[in-house]
């Protein structure tokens, strides 16, 4: 029997609390925790967590609390609503249980988890919340949260990701961020940042709010801007429905559009290899490396937008987005000891650019728009993945347009100058496309090229003038598009030395270094969540006051009060 | 014998590596590590660290490496150059040793230090680097770094704080950030942030640079924007002098101005009390609280700017800035177990506002300008101090203008409504002044009121219309200037409950929460340093790969290679 979010254990290590291979693929018929109910242009996304459905043993998902498995389903639902339900213009998140909306992340699960799992779980959850905001903003599939019961911690953080928060006024239901007083950790999946930067709650009120276990309800919750409206219990259902209809009416989504099915991925897992139709993942465990190869389109661009719709999940840009995303998530969750990712591409650069152009020209089409935003989100997942990415640009590769973003997302890129002995393919090239100049902003709001060339804006215009031209090794290095270019003669040695060095460094120092160097320039609410908030939370997740034997996270629910070292750091 | 940066041990706890009370006051005649040599409008700030002059035992400050004591002197020198040497328009930082500029923070010291000391040391060092940038930008006392030897780690980070970096081209001297490969920690005193955000080094080059132990020298250092120029050894001295003169010529500082002496603070330490002329610090160890009381001016404003110059360090705004700064630094370094700071003021609000007006009107005067920038920096120290600040606004207080900023810097502010039984003073009030609307930006570039009212810009204009009016309890609460207002009857209970609660929370969670809630809105290079960079560094400072028995920081210099857990987080 296949269990949502689980595959049979790949490895068994008794030292690890989380020992199963985590699968990020699921679909509605397998959901255990969520339901989608569509009512014309409004969808209800109903959280009804199966308390026996935890991803691992040892905890019960009571009171709509969640673990990674619950969030994998939510992520899937958010994604499917965009692709499979173009008719949906407003999505209402609500609870399927009486008197409780959501109690947040499951504490027993957090208490039992490794540091790495906690951090990875929070990262994925943060990405899902941002995907909700991306749907509201960029697909005009606007999220509303209907809080019918207590929304505590991660429960309220989920609400914060929506555009309109409604709270039932039943003299009981409240919103709360009780992490700090109860658990000695932060509301770390966006909570602190969204309270101050999105809801713009006054800082001293935020301080009070984050210190109250029982939270805030009723008119005060509105006055403090924690929710947008409170609704009497007697009028709850119709008011929620009416509000959703009003919000749906403001959407620019097409009428009579037909969704496409996100069919199961074409994925094979065998030993240290995961193969998809256009992506391969090969783990070299001894060297601590993985190679991800992304293949360009095998077919010409469709003859028309209609033909692209007919291809659906088989349309190359969508296929590659889904496969690359799954590969990245798989590595994060299941291959923690692999510190370096080599990024390769294989195929025809021109075909990649033609697909980019096709998407650009059809941007008025809802599906093409979705695909571009999805590619943007997948590339952002790379930006926040704590592994060293090194792009290898070699003959036969197709680092062009959208796929060139992989080279710009990488921490370093190496390019082969000229050809390889015995290889009659053309020299490696990077080919820029329009897509590199605006389609795929990073979390900081800038394109990867703008972030890269923050200190030399002329280089950007220079690069822009080269759109469509294959730029070979030395020219690419000259233009600043790659870190280094080597002849065939030096390639193997240079690469070997670099990889030996990189994999010998402290994994933590690499994570910290990359998290800083990748985000030059402005910060946004999004980068603040992954930078300021996450880094402080990770620090706290290492402190004995939270995770020690006497720490709050360990003792929660035991009846014993935590003992804190009083030193302020 | 008084040793720079040291006082006799106040307490002895064998469990603590750092057990002396750290004193942040010093003056040039007591410097052991720095010399100031003035040459007309150029000052040379010469680093010549006494290797036997460490703040504690157990390490030698070889190769111009530094500890907190060295940085206390640097901070003092930067401060004195601004106040005591108005004639100085360019400051050249250089090394007094041959063949080495500065090896950065002392590793043995870091390896032996408590987590709290490491974090506090980095914070102070960061503030000193920012003070250097503040002097260049706002006093036109522009810093130049003349790197005559290797500048590694914190040594190069010091250079990064200057406006112009010169590197001798002797085929040996290099700049380097070897923290990551050598020590498994980050270049955490601004290095990663300034490389990408100030010098705007391309991210992949920054990645390479931060991975090379030996650093980068010569023309490549210029090409990569790591330094501004390289100068042949043969022309080094005259080129540095010429460049300093050129930069000095561009300053707007006055000619023929006479500096004022930063005379020793009027400070008494007795038991749990530190008393200054206008600031009192009282520690309530049992409750984990400290009360800081700031007194308003005892005298009327001076009759003229000349008279203010004549007062010098006795001029109230300068006195209070120096005393409050020392009190804050003392608490951070020496009272780690005190989690909550009560901020009180005592005096005449009108007198505070008159001093503010005096400073504002005389803003063309170099000294008044210095004092305002200094007050700004002291208030910023409050913003990044990891303690809960609670302002208590009671009858007799003078939260007006500059001192009202203390209430806006606080995490919460409590105001007494009406009067106290048996107290015939007027009801407590906040009085806004022009100073609250632009003089004292936070690190995020916004005023504290703008940060506070991010979500309600109307409130700002409303508040501005009240300038000069005493705003009493309920009106202040209505206007959003205070967190809560209580009558005398409730005051004691409300305060007691709040303090019991606050001091019962995990100190780490409070630090993380405050670091997020205090900085709503935009991030700047400065806030990125204290947010993104510092939080990641603090996380790494807790990770076994750095600080464990097999960690890089512990084993450095032992000849034994560190052993790293390979999991990426």
């Amino acid at each position: 029997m296949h269990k949502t979010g689980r595959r049979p254990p790949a490895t068994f290590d008794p030292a690890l609390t989380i020992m199963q291979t985590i699968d990020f693929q699921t679909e509605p018929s397998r959901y255990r925790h969520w339901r989608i109910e569509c009512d014309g242009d409004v969808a209800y996304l109903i959280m009804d967590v199966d308390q026996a459905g935890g991803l691992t043993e040892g905890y019960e998902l009571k009171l709509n609390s969640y673990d990674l498995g619950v969030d994998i389903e939510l992520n899937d639902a958010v994604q499917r609503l965009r692709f499979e339900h173009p008719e949906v213009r407003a999505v209402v998140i609500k609870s399927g249980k009486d008197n409780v909306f959501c109690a947040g992340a499951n504490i027993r699960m957090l208490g039992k988890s490794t540091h790495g799992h906690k951090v990875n779980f929070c990262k994925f959850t943060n990405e899902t919340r941002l995907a909700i905001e991306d749907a509201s903003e960029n697909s005009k599939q606007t999220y509303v949260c209907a809080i019918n019961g207590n929304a505590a911690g991660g429960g309220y953080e989920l609400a914060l990701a929506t555009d309109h928060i409604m709270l039932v006024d039943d003299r009981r239901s409240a919103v709360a961020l009780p992490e700090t007083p109860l658990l000695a950790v932060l509301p770390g999946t966006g909570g602190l940042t969204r309270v101050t930067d999105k809801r713009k709650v006054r800082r001293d009120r935020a301080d009070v709010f984050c210190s109250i276990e029982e939270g805030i309800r009723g008119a005060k919750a509105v006055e403090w801007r924690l929710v947008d409206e409170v609704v009497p219990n007697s009028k709850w259902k119709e008011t929620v429905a009416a509000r959703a209809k009003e919000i749906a009416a403001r959407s620019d989504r097409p009428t009579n559009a037909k969704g496409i099915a996100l069919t199961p991925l074409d994925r094979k897992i065998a030993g240290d290899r995961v193969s998809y139709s256009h992506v391969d993942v090969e783990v070299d465990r001894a060297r601590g490396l993985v190679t991800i190869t992304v293949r360009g389109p095998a077919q010409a661009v469709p003859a028309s937008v209609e033909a692209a719709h007919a291809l659906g999940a088989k349309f190359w840009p969508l296929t590659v987005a889904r496969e690359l995303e799954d590969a990245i998530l798989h590595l994060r969750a299941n291959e923690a000891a692999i510190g370096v990712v080599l990024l390769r591409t294989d195929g025809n650069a021109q075909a990649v650019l033609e697909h980019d152009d096709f998407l650009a020209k059809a941007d008025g089409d809802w599906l093409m728009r979705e695909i571009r935003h999805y590619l943007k989100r997948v590339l952002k997942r790379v930006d926040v993945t704590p592994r060293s990415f090194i792009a290898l640009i070699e003959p036969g590769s197709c680092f062009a347009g959208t796929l060139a973003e992989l080279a710009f997302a990488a921490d370093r890129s190496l390019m082969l100058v000229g050809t390889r002995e015995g290889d009659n393919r053309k020299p490696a090239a990077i080919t820029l496309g329009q897509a590199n100049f605006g389609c795929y902003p990073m979390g900081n709001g800038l394109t990867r090229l703008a972030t890269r060339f923050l200190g030399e804006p002329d280089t950007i215009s220079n690069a822009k003038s080269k759109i469509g031209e294959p730029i070979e090794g030395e020219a690419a290095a000259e233009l600043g598009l790659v870190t280094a270019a080597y002849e065939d003669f030096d390639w193997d040695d240079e690469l070997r030395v670099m990889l030996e060095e990189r994999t010998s460094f402290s994994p933590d120092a690499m994570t910290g270094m990359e998290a800083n160097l990748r985000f030059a320039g402005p910060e946004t609410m999004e980068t603040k969540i992954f930078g300021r908030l996450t880094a402080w939370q990770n620090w706290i997740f290492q402190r004995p006051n939270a995770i020690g034997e006497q720490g709050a996270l360990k003792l929660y629910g035991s009846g014993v009060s935590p003992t804190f070292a009083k030193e302020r750091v």
Side-chain angles (χ1 to χ4, degrees), chain A:
Chain A
M1 204 189 95
H2 201 107
K3 208 170 171 187
T4 299
R6 285 194 195 182
R7 280 194 231 135
T11 53
F12 179 82
D13 178 347
L16 294 175
T17 309
I18 303 295
M19 51 202 155
Q20 289 158 304
T21 299
I22 294 168
D23 186 357
F24 290 84
Q25 298 302 315
T26 184
E27 39 96 12
S29 72
R30 284 158 54 205
Y31 290 178
R32 296 183 66 171
H33 311 296
W34 293 88
R35 293 193 304 278
I36 301 175
E37 290 177 4
C38 289
D39 174 17
D41 55 4
V42 173
Y44 289 85
L45 187 47
I46 301 160
M47 186 175 205
D48 196 357
V49 175
D50 175 357
Q51 69 174 47
L55 200 56
T56 56
E57 307 299 321
Y59 54 88
E60 289 186 322
L61 297 173
K62 289 183 187 164
L63 298 171
N64 262 1
S65 64
Y66 60 84
D67 67 356
L68 181 57
V70 177
D71 217 63
I72 286 171
E73 292 185 7
L74 174 59
N75 176 62
D76 185 75
V78 171
Q79 188 77 337
R80 285 182 196 275
L81 281 165
R82 288 177 83 162
F83 283 95
E84 302 189 346
H85 295 278
E87 78 285 2
V88 169
R89 294 152 172 253
V91 181
V92 179
I93 297 182
K94 64 174 194 173
S95 162
K97 299 198 193 301
D98 289 335
N99 300 326
V100 63
F101 175 74
C102 167
N106 186 277
I107 314 303
R108 294 261 305 156
M109 175 277 293
L110 285 178
K112 287 165 45 78
S113 294
T114 60
H115 182 68
H117 182 74
K118 277 198 281 286
V119 172
N120 200 45
F121 163 64
C122 290
K123 178 166 286 166
F124 183 77
T125 313
N126 270 322
E127 289 174 316
T128 307
R129 308 296 171 272
L130 287 161
I132 287 172
E133 288 177 327
D134 190 60
S136 295
E137 188 184 343
N138 294 312
S139 294
K140 305 297 174 220
Q141 197 172 63
T142 303
Y143 277 74
V144 174
C145 193
I147 305 181
N148 50 327
N150 275 319
Y156 177 55
E157 288 178 299
L158 173 61
L160 283 169
T162 67
D163 261 31
H164 188 82
I165 306 178
M166 305 175 77
L167 174 62
V168 70
D169 195 6
D170 59 2
R171 295 172 184 277
R172 213 171 35 200
S173 298
V175 297
L177 291 177
E179 285 89 339
T180 297
L182 274 186
L183 307 167
V185 301
L186 303 182
T189 46
L192 292 180
T193 315
R194 283 197 179 84
V195 163
T196 54
D197 283 62
K198 183 180 185 182
R199 309 287 311 181
K200 300 188 168 62
V201 175
R202 230 173 61 203
R203 56 171 282 196
D204 56 344
R205 285 178 167 173
D207 184 284
V208 171
F209 175 58
C210 296
S211 312
I212 306 178
E213 290 178 25
E214 66 277 17
I216 288 178
R217 60 185 172 76
K220 190 172 176 182
V222 178
E223 191 199 335
W224 286 29
R225 278 199 293 277
L226 297 166
V227 307
D228 293 290
E229 58 178 321
V230 286
V231 179
N233 211 355
S234 59
K235 298 184 181 166
W236 176 247
K237 220 175 153 183
E238 62 264 38
T239 311
V240 168
R243 201 69 72 240
K245 285 288 176 194
E246 278 167 41
I247 287 168
R250 295 202 292 266
S251 172
D252 69 352
R253 293 183 73 79
T255 46
N256 302 321
K258 207 173 152 294
I260 60 140
L262 295 178
T263 48
L265 289 185
D266 175 6
R267 181 181 66 187
K268 281 178 207 70
I269 303 173
D272 287 338
R273 198 181 177 99
V274 187
S275 316
Y276 307 82
S277 75
H278 288 78
V279 173
D280 274 340
V281 177
E282 197 152 4
V283 180
D284 181 342
R285 228 166 280 285
R287 294 171 72 204
L289 298 175
V290 65
T291 304
I292 296 183
T293 305
V294 179
R295 279 185 290 279
Q299 293 175 307
V301 287
S304 64
V305 173
E306 293 68 37
H309 277 253
L311 282 172
K314 301 279 181 208
F315 182 42
W316 178 80
L318 180 53
T319 310
V320 94
R322 294 182 74 204
E323 294 179 353
L324 180 58
E325 178 175 55
D326 190 67
I328 296 287
L329 294 174
H330 168 72
L331 282 178
R332 281 195 203 159
N334 303 311
E335 295 288 357
I338 304 297
V340 175
V341 180
L342 301 176
L343 290 172
R344 286 192 150 106
T345 59
D346 180 17
N348 183 314
Q350 203 49 42
V352 177
L353 292 177
E354 283 165 14
H355 278 79
D356 282 356
D357 286 345
F358 184 89
L359 288 174
K361 283 187 192 134
D363 198 42
D365 178 76
W366 73 269
L367 178 58
M368 301 306 125
R369 177 169 83 169
E370 283 309 332
I371 292 172
R372 293 178 98 183
H373 283 298
Y374 185 22
L375 282 162
K376 174 192 72 185
R377 294 195 301 281
V378 175
L379 289 163
K380 283 185 185 183
R381 290 213 199 254
V382 175
D383 296 331
V384 297
T385 293
R387 310 296 161 100
S388 301
F389 286 94
I390 296 170
L392 299 180
I393 306 167
E394 298 164 278
S397 69
C398 54
F399 285 95
T402 296
L403 293 190
E405 287 294 306
L406 289 175
F408 306 141
D411 298 295
R412 298 187 193 182
S413 49
L414 256 59
M415 191 152 179
L416 194 110
V417 176
T419 55
R420 279 218 166 89
E421 218 186 295
D423 180 344
N424 58 7
R425 289 177 297 186
K426 278 189 287 191
I430 285 184
T431 317
L432 298 172
Q434 205 66 50
N436 304 116
F437 296 88
C439 276
Y440 306 122
M442 298 172 58
N444 65 6
L446 303 182
T447 63
R448 286 178 189 76
L449 284 181
T451 305
R452 184 178 185 84
F453 296 123
L454 211 55
E456 36 190 303
D458 288 354
T459 304
I460 304 258
S461 31
N462 194 3
K464 208 162 182 175
S465 73
K466 303 272 192 296
I467 283 180
E469 290 176 32
I471 306 168
E472 297 184 5
E474 278 157 351
E478 183 70 24
L479 203 57
L481 295 175
V482 297
T483 314
Y486 300 113
E487 314 257 343
D488 186 26
F489 183 80
D490 295 317
W491 179 266
D492 288 348
D493 278 350
E494 292 284 352
L495 185 59
R496 183 181 48 75
V497 169
M498 183 210 284
L499 295 177
E500 280 173 9
E501 189 185 74
R502 193 73 171 195
T503 50
S504 77
F505 292 155
S506 159
D508 307 320
M510 288 297 105
T511 292
M513 183 177 97
E514 291 156 8
N516 280 276
L517 296 182
R518 289 175 185 174
F519 291 93
E523 297 256 3
T524 61
M525 193 182 73
E526 182 170 337
T527 62
K528 281 175 92 163
I529 289 171
F530 290 116
R532 181 181 282 273
L533 178 59
T534 295
W536 280 115
Q537 177 79 307
N538 292 358
W539 173 71
I540 288 168
F541 277 160
Q542 283 280 273
R543 299 280 292 161
N545 284 340
I547 57 150
E549 288 308 314
Q550 304 301 314
L553 211 49
K554 270 280 190 279
L555 290 176
Y556 183 76
S558 69
V560 181
S561 292
T563 308
F564 296 133
K566 283 296 181 192
E567 280 70 33
R568 267 292 194 122
V569 176

